Amino acid sequence: MEQPVFEGFEEITQYSKFKENSTREFIKDFFDAHRPTPQALDYANSLLCIAFNIDRYNASATPKNISTLMDSYNATMAALRGLYPETQEISGDLADLLKAAAA
């Protein structure tokens, strides 16, 4: 019995839009949780452009190395996430006051 393959992980024989579609899903989920800004939307658009090219590279008759595109994709993803830090930084003075109060 042949084991099924997860959707999007089957052999690439034509342009699949896998990376582009997963990027669109990420962007939708990301902006459901974060307020879009012009800079964030620019990063999101860049992610889509890079994802499109990754899919095209994978689907070409002679697939190309996507490592440079993936480096760009990951750097752009990090930059987008960096616009919305998960934790707030506090000043050194406030940190010292909080430590003193806890002691």
Side-chain angles (χ1 to χ4, degrees):
M1 183 165 130
E2 189 174 312
Q3 184 175 0
V5 177
F6 290 111
E7 182 180 341
F9 289 94
E10 55 273 333
E11 185 177 341
I12 298 172
T13 56
Q14 60 184 6
Y15 182 70
S16 68
K17 288 190 169 185
F18 178 75
K19 190 70 172 171
E20 182 181 345
N21 289 338
S22 66
T23 300
R24 286 184 188 283
E25 187 175 323
F26 163 78
I27 290 169
K28 181 198 171 300
D29 291 346
F30 187 83
F31 287 124
D32 282 348
H34 301 90
R35 184 170 178 248
T37 65
Q39 186 177 13
L41 292 171
D42 186 50
Y43 282 132
N45 185 57
S46 294
L47 283 172
L48 285 172
C49 291
I50 297 166
F52 171 81
N53 282 306
I54 289 170
D55 287 336
R56 282 188 49 228
Y57 271 40
N58 283 331
S60 72
T62 54
K64 299 175 176 128
N65 184 339
I66 64 166
S67 61
T68 302
L69 287 171
M70 283 304 301
D71 288 345
S72 296
Y73 186 90
N74 291 332
T76 305
M77 180 76 75
L80 174 60
R81 287 184 170 145
L83 294 176
Y84 303 90
E86 294 294 322
T87 58
Q88 296 293 323
E89 295 290 324
I90 59 173
S91 72
D93 292 339
L94 180 57
D96 292 340
L97 287 172
L98 291 172
K99 285 179 191 175

